[in-house]
Amino acid sequence: MAPPPPAPDLSSYPKTTPPSVLLVIIDIHPLSWSLLASPPPLPSVPDQPAIDKAHASPMTLPDFVTILMVFLNAHLASRWGNEVVVYGASAGRAKLLYPPPSNAVAGPSKPRPNTYLPFQLLDSRIEQGLKEMAAEEQDRLANGDVNSLNQPPAMVSALTKALCFINRINPHTSASAALVDPTAAPDPSAPSSTGPDRPETRILVINATPGENVSTSSSSLDPSQTNGEVDGNVQKASGGQMRGGYVGLMNCVFAAQKAKVPIDVLSLPPPSIDASPPIFLQQAAHLTEGIYWQWNGRGGLLQYLHALYLPPPSLRHHPFAVPPQDAVGFRAVCFCHHKTLDVGFVCSVCLSIFCEPRPVCLMCKTRFPIKSIPTLKSLASYIEPIPVPDTVPPPPIPKNSKSQNNENNKKDRNKSVVNGNSGGGRGEPIEID
Amino acid sequence: MVQPSFSHPRSDPSSSTSSSPTAALDAFLDNQHQSYFEELYKSEAVCLCVLRSLPPVPRHIILHHLWSHQPLRTTEVKSFLQLDIQTSIQDVDEIMRPALNRKILHPMMLKKNKMLWPSNDAFKKGLRNALTGLGTSNSFGVPFDRDDDAEIPSQEVLVAYGEEAFEGILKYMVSSGLGIGFSVARPQAEVLELLHISGLMIDPTDATGQNPNLNKMTITSKGFQFLLEDRQTQLWEVLMYYLTAKEANSERSAEVLSMFFSLGCMQLGQDYSASKSFPHALSALNDLAQYGFIYRPSPDSNQFFPTHLATALCSGDAAATKSQDADEKRFLILETNYKIYAYTSNELEIAILNLFVDIRIRYPNLVVGKLDRKNVKSAMEKGISANQIISYLSSHAHPQMYNSPPPLLHPTIVDQLHLWDRERNRLKMEDTVMLEFFSKELFEDTETESKANAALQLSVPNQKFLFIEPQTKAAITDFVKERQNQLRSGF
């Protein structure tokens, strides 16, 4: 007979949590939302009748914003001192939607008797901000700037702004900073004896744009290549642009990693629109210990938001379980053509990634012996791409059976990735997986 | 010599539970019946505040489950908390205890080792409505319909008004105890009555306690302890005294309590309509005006402004109040030589300091004093404990104090305060039963027996005395008789 499990250690549960600041980046790219509003029919899942029963639900931006507002209200409700910051990322530009700049006119003059005033301010301001952004897009179109719509959403711009915001409210306090501003210093008299009273921050990225488009390039694309594509699925190389969004995104991710800011990612395009997940956002979530989850296109977003993304970082992992993360594609983008690579070549000086061996590094101008190039090419041809499951399997709905199986799966997959890496990484060509 | 070790008051679990600012409220709510909560949860403001008062873990489980149509299952809670599936129900119950106590979840046995917790419908509906703004109970206050150009008091004016009204009451209490003459206006008769009923003040000349002379009351030891609490604790204690004293009728009591929460969710600087917001609790609202919770431009007007006392009520951890008067509240520097520098000109704070500090120098913005044995012990005579002094000192510590390495207060001083506290309690009274023996064997046997049963208080082998717990007397005498017979028959 198995011994009884140990009783949960109640005293290890935090008595209080520090106030939490949630920075939401919402992708409001018009093309992406038009796709989401009329999704293709979902394939049926005969082996999971519970999932199969739910119908595909089109999701329009107003519907989603309503859901998001309830979620943000719940975040504010869950603790005093919690704050919300919202950025909107549209085609090629990002903007702060909430809180309003301090010189802006105060919110509605009259509080509603059935709404908690902070909720009302938040909701009305977000609505107003979104309308302003939509009007700006309209203006851009009216001015004949059609190509701007083909730009991917400015995730990098929004992430950078969000990280700057975090740095402003939560500077890396040293002793000298504490002298200047005593309120920023850890406050032992505060009731939270478990942790310092500094607010904890996290970023929630709500991605609506399908595919790898999200991060290939934030700079303007060549019109000749993108003219025909209205479905927003721009995957081709954007010629000549050296600083793609990839580098910017990764820099943001590493900054967030260092500042211990988790980046949660909610990817809205269901698998029927978007067979390949936004791997760079997935990497962002993985590297910063955030939560990545892709919507399956079958409704229930309000519950998913509350269930997955509401607990603050101090409660995640312990005591709460986080949803298991599936295989993450660790592929990178080459600096020369902005192609997503399985096998790449790395400059040994500046660590830039290229899709083919080059005699001169494009970034740092280091010269490599020209003789080594054929050798590298021949070596690279031996390498077989490692079969990593690229798509994320839908999360199992029946919660009772979930935890054990998936964790095992996840472990196995991780192991295979690691093994593959150690086998393939020999000599100059480094495999980016 | 072995130094006695004193646990730091912050690390002491018992003190951390009692230090919650809403302890008075929690104690009150824990004793309420299901129907009382049903009444309370009609108000969205109450649902919101009760949710926030829960510990983080149950709070997030409730939110996690808020939009689900199914009742919460223990198995779900276990997997969410990463507990073993075999964990006993009692353990999971213990985690969710605060939510069960507040009647947010109803326990229901499903089958062995499985349990369902259907949510309280009223609470679920109230919280959902609070988040979506679809409620109909006007619980967040109906704004007063005034002309746009009408003059309204600024936030500073409201804060000053509330502060003055509440500090007036505290000052009156202090001055009655110290006999120092500050010119304090006597609070209104209803306030004095409440202070008497709550036991914070008594009339020493009134032996029966039935009809006190409200003008001649002095502060009790409970009152002194009350003075040293932080502001939010004081506010909730006053409100709970008010609720229990005035509102014996439980039906109205729920309405008044839900008004307290509504006030806590209101906005400072906004005016509200009394008759529309609280149609059933108007008289209670009038009473709150005497404590400075609300401001009314004229006594009979329908328009009222909540002051910071009211709006900070529900900010669970006093963060809001702290940010408001952080500068004024943190003024104490305590040195290891027991000297205290208090950068304040607030009469009330100085009077409170005067309870246990020997004040030597007074400048316009600075008071210098010393913690010494005589003053601390006289404070302890008044019923103030060492822990209360320590928590007062640490909660009012100047920001500069945080720059030195922790602990905030030097252990020397903390230990000395505890030692002074112990000096008063050298003798401890306990009831006992003394047994006197003539036979050494019988004495030793009884000694081991009573030791084994944890009945022994003291044994004096020389004189063959045993002191035992009184409630064990019968059992021990039985044992003695039996043993005596055995020993006698053995001879």
Side-chain angles (χ1 to χ4, degrees):
Chain A
M1 193 183 144
D9 186 9
L10 267 180
S11 60
S12 75
Y13 290 167
K15 293 232 168 43
T16 55
T17 51
S20 172
V21 182
L22 173 63
L23 296 100
V24 181
I25 296 172
I26 173 170
D27 176 3
I28 50 173
H29 198 293
L31 297 179
S32 318
W33 280 101
S34 74
L35 267 179
L36 278 173
S38 53
L42 288 166
S44 65
V45 202
D47 53 326
Q48 278 179 311
I51 298 181
D52 205 31
K53 239 191 313 187
H55 296 291
S57 50
M59 180 56 65
T60 60
L61 185 57
D63 288 348
F64 180 73
V65 170
T66 317
I67 289 173
L68 182 69
M69 280 175 182
V70 174
F71 168 70
L72 294 181
N73 287 349
H75 172 74
L76 287 185
S78 62
R79 192 192 186 280
W80 273 272
N82 275 6
E83 280 176 53
V84 169
V85 180
V86 184
Y87 290 92
S90 180
R93 57 175 68 183
K95 200 180 154 195
L96 177 69
L97 300 179
Y98 183 89
S102 52
N103 56 358
V105 275
S109 54
K110 212 156 183 64
R112 286 204 299 268
N114 284 307
T115 318
Y116 186 42
L117 194 60
F119 295 174
Q120 194 187 341
L121 291 177
L122 173 80
D123 297 354
S124 62
R125 173 62 207 170
I126 289 179
E127 189 187 342
Q128 192 190 341
L130 283 174
K131 279 180 179 161
E132 278 169 17
M133 268 192 102
E136 280 170 25
E137 292 291 312
Q138 202 81 39
D139 283 351
R140 276 210 288 177
L141 273 185
N143 293 339
D145 190 6
V146 186
N147 286 323
S148 66
L149 264 190
N150 286 328
Q151 291 178 17
M155 278 298 162
V156 179
S157 164
L159 265 177
T160 315
K161 286 181 182 179
L163 286 168
C164 290
F165 193 97
I166 289 173
N167 198 42
R168 202 168 64 217
I169 56 168
N170 226 355
H172 297 280
T173 38
S174 56
S176 60
L179 271 179
V180 178
D181 183 12
T183 51
D187 183 357
S189 77
S192 60
S193 53
T194 49
D197 214 18
R198 274 172 59 171
E200 54 181 357
T201 48
R202 67 184 194 271
I203 297 176
L204 170 60
V205 176
I206 294 164
N207 170 45
T209 310
E212 293 150 21
N213 187 15
V214 183
S215 48
T216 45
S217 171
S218 66
S219 44
S220 67
L221 297 166
D222 189 355
S224 66
Q225 287 183 342
T226 50
N227 252 350
E229 305 189 38
V230 267
D231 60 353
N233 214 350
V234 190
Q235 297 226 14
K236 282 184 194 156
S238 59
Q241 290 292 335
M242 286 310 298
R243 271 179 292 282
Y246 171 73
V247 178
L249 184 79
M250 279 301 147
N251 284 341
C252 286
V253 170
F254 294 133
Q257 198 181 17
K258 186 149 186 292
K260 296 198 169 57
V261 177
I263 300 180
D264 297 339
V265 178
L266 169 62
S267 185
L268 286 179
S272 55
I273 293 182
D274 174 23
S276 64
I279 57 166
F280 302 118
L281 289 178
Q282 209 181 352
Q283 287 179 21
H286 177 83
L287 290 173
T288 56
E289 298 194 335
I291 295 167
Y292 171 85
W293 188 70
Q294 188 179 23
W295 186 42
N296 60 6
R298 295 177 196 267
L301 269 177
L302 183 65
Q303 287 187 38
Y304 279 122
L305 276 171
H306 277 72
L308 299 183
Y309 295 101
L310 201 54
S314 52
L315 292 179
R316 288 180 189 173
H317 302 289
H318 179 86
F320 289 151
V322 291
Q325 300 292 298
D326 292 296
V328 183
F330 283 110
R331 288 176 297 171
V333 166
C334 70
F335 288 21
C336 45
H337 303 93
H338 298 277
K339 278 196 286 192
T340 311
L341 295 179
D342 282 327
V343 178
F345 298 86
V346 178
C347 166
S348 55
V349 177
C350 67
L351 302 181
S352 308
I353 302 161
F354 301 102
C355 53
E356 55 188 13
R358 288 178 171 275
V360 177
C361 171
L362 287 177
M363 306 303 285
C364 65
K365 311 291 182 215
T366 311
R367 288 168 190 280
F368 297 110
I370 202 120
K371 269 185 278 176
S372 67
I373 290 177
T375 330
L376 282 178
K377 274 189 176 155
S378 67
L379 277 176
S381 64
Y382 291 135
I383 299 170
E384 287 173 18
I386 295 160
V388 174
D390 215 349
T391 53
V392 179
I397 290 299
K399 287 188 174 171
N400 299 342
S401 61
K402 125 182 142 178
S403 53
Q404 296 277 317
N405 284 338
N406 263 354
E407 257 163 31
N408 290 343
N409 282 350
K410 179 192 156 201
K411 266 178 208 151
D412 289 344
R413 265 192 219 116
N414 275 348
K415 211 182 283 168
S416 74
V417 170
V418 170
N419 286 342
N421 252 345
S422 60
R426 55 186 142 102
E428 278 281 276
I430 291 180
E431 190 159 341
I432 297 123
D433 179 58
Chain B
M1 189 187 151
V2 180
Q3 290 291 322
S5 75
F6 300 102
S7 60
H8 195 262
R10 293 237 160 243
S11 58
D12 186 8
S14 64
S15 74
S16 71
T17 49
S18 67
S19 70
S20 155
T22 52
L25 173 70
D26 293 343
F28 179 83
L29 285 180
D30 283 344
N31 291 322
Q32 294 308 318
H33 199 255
Q34 173 79 40
S35 58
Y36 192 85
F37 282 98
E38 294 289 339
E39 191 67 29
L40 270 184
Y41 289 153
K42 282 180 187 166
S43 147
E44 287 89 22
V46 177
C47 297
L48 194 63
C49 294
V50 168
L51 174 82
R52 287 182 173 185
S53 70
L54 294 175
V57 171
R59 189 196 308 153
H60 276 278
I61 292 174
I62 300 285
L63 279 172
H64 182 100
H65 207 73
L66 177 63
W67 299 97
S68 166
H69 303 294
Q70 312 282 330
L72 185 63
R73 288 163 185 276
T74 41
T75 46
E76 282 172 341
V77 176
K78 282 177 194 165
S79 70
F80 191 40
L81 285 172
Q82 302 174 325
L83 296 178
D84 194 291
I85 204 73
Q86 302 296 331
T87 314
S88 70
I89 285 188
Q90 284 75 26
D91 292 332
V92 189
D93 229 28
E94 202 48 48
I95 296 167
M96 298 302 284
R97 173 69 43 210
L100 295 168
N101 280 348
R102 296 283 178 277
K103 309 284 185 283
I104 295 170
L105 301 172
H106 306 305
M108 188 192 282
M109 197 58 91
L110 188 62
K111 51 186 142 162
K112 189 179 168 290
N113 210 23
K114 280 202 181 139
M115 212 170 187
L116 278 184
W117 283 318
S119 314
N120 183 336
D121 285 338
F123 180 83
K124 200 172 186 174
K125 189 160 154 258
L127 188 57
R128 285 180 175 184
N129 283 342
L131 293 183
T132 54
L134 293 176
T136 49
S137 69
N138 291 346
S139 61
F140 293 102
V142 184
F144 186 70
D145 205 6
R146 67 175 139 84
D147 306 330
D148 282 339
D149 51 349
E151 197 154 296
I152 56 165
S154 70
Q155 296 196 358
E156 291 79 35
V157 173
L158 290 174
V159 170
Y161 171 82
E163 205 62 21
E164 192 191 330
F166 197 72
E167 285 203 347
I169 299 173
L170 298 183
K171 274 186 197 167
Y172 179 76
M173 289 172 67
V174 181
S175 62
S176 76
L178 288 175
I180 33 171
F182 350 72
S183 50
V184 251
R186 186 176 304 120
Q188 294 174 32
E190 287 95 339
V191 178
L192 292 176
E193 217 166 278
L194 185 71
L195 290 178
H196 178 257
I197 294 171
S198 59
L200 297 179
M201 294 181 88
I202 48 163
D203 180 4
T205 57
D206 175 40
T208 59
Q210 291 305 314
N211 42 359
N213 184 347
L214 290 178
N215 299 338
K216 284 188 184 162
M217 294 202 299
T218 57
I219 189 164
T220 60
S221 71
K222 200 173 161 194
F224 278 120
Q225 296 177 8
F226 175 79
L227 283 178
L228 292 183
E229 308 276 10
D230 71 6
R231 176 58 55 82
Q232 207 183 6
T233 317
Q234 288 175 345
L235 292 176
W236 273 113
E237 275 185 23
V238 164
L239 287 178
M240 287 302 121
Y241 288 137
Y242 177 83
L243 200 62
T244 41
K246 299 252 168 166
E247 313 292 338
N249 177 359
S250 72
E251 199 182 326
R252 259 196 77 195
S253 145
E255 270 161 14
V256 174
L257 186 58
S258 94
M259 181 187 76
F260 295 162
F261 285 118
S262 292
L263 282 175
C265 289
M266 284 178 176
Q267 190 70 22
L268 186 64
Q270 172 70 39
D271 53 344
Y272 296 90
S273 157
S275 60
K276 282 185 194 155
S277 303
F278 310 115
H280 306 294
L282 277 177
S283 67
L285 189 69
N286 284 338
D287 292 340
L288 288 189
Q290 296 164 356
Y291 301 91
F293 284 99
I294 60 167
Y295 167 76
R296 289 191 139 161
S298 62
D300 51 348
S301 100
N302 192 23
Q303 177 191 26
F304 76 92
F305 296 82
T307 67
H308 70 296
L309 297 182
T311 55
L313 264 184
C314 289
S315 21
D317 49 12
T321 43
K322 243 178 213 161
S323 61
Q324 272 170 8
D325 47 331
D327 299 338
E328 296 150 47
K329 246 192 82 180
R330 302 186 174 183
F331 52 79
L332 273 185
I333 290 185
L334 176 63
E335 291 185 341
T336 48
N337 57 7
Y338 299 93
K339 270 198 173 173
I340 281 191
Y341 302 88
Y343 289 88
T344 181
S345 48
N346 186 328
E347 289 285 334
L348 175 66
E349 300 290 1
I350 296 172
I352 290 175
L353 269 184
N354 204 8
L355 290 175
F356 54 86
V357 175
D358 177 21
I359 290 184
R360 303 268 175 86
I361 308 169
R362 273 192 73 168
Y363 294 121
N365 67 339
L366 171 69
V367 177
V368 182
K370 197 168 179 185
L371 272 179
D372 65 356
R373 184 163 177 273
K374 190 176 122 241
N375 278 278
V376 171
K377 287 199 73 174
S378 78
M380 287 171 175
E381 297 296 317
K382 288 171 182 148
I384 301 172
S385 76
N387 276 334
Q388 280 169 330
I389 295 181
I390 290 163
S391 78
Y392 180 86
L393 290 175
S394 54
S395 68
H396 289 74
H398 194 278
Q400 287 288 346
M401 299 261 295
Y402 289 96
N403 291 336
S404 59
L408 187 62
L409 303 180
H410 200 274
T412 322
I413 296 181
V414 176
D415 285 357
Q416 184 62 67
L417 284 171
H418 281 295
L419 282 174
W420 282 332
D421 203 6
R422 290 252 171 123
E423 271 180 24
R424 290 189 309 129
N425 303 321
R426 280 195 182 142
L427 292 183
K428 207 165 86 182
M429 306 254 276
E430 258 178 78
D431 290 339
T432 189
V433 172
M434 189 182 87
L435 304 177
E436 191 178 2
F437 294 88
F438 297 105
S439 138
K440 189 144 190 284
E441 284 116 337
L442 191 56
F443 170 77
E444 277 163 1
D445 288 347
T446 319
E447 191 187 353
T448 36
E449 170 73 10
S450 51
K451 230 181 222 164
N453 293 320
L456 186 70
Q457 286 177 332
L458 181 72
S459 87
V460 188
N462 291 346
Q463 285 147 304
K464 300 201 209 69
F465 286 151
L466 272 190
F467 296 87
I468 59 168
E469 301 279 348
Q471 67 269 21
T472 59
K473 185 188 166 193
I476 297 288
T477 26
D478 283 351
F479 172 82
V480 172
K481 276 180 189 152
E482 201 182 306
R483 193 72 200 143
Q484 206 168 20
N485 287 336
Q486 277 179 15
L487 287 171
R488 274 186 190 151
S489 61
F491 279 119

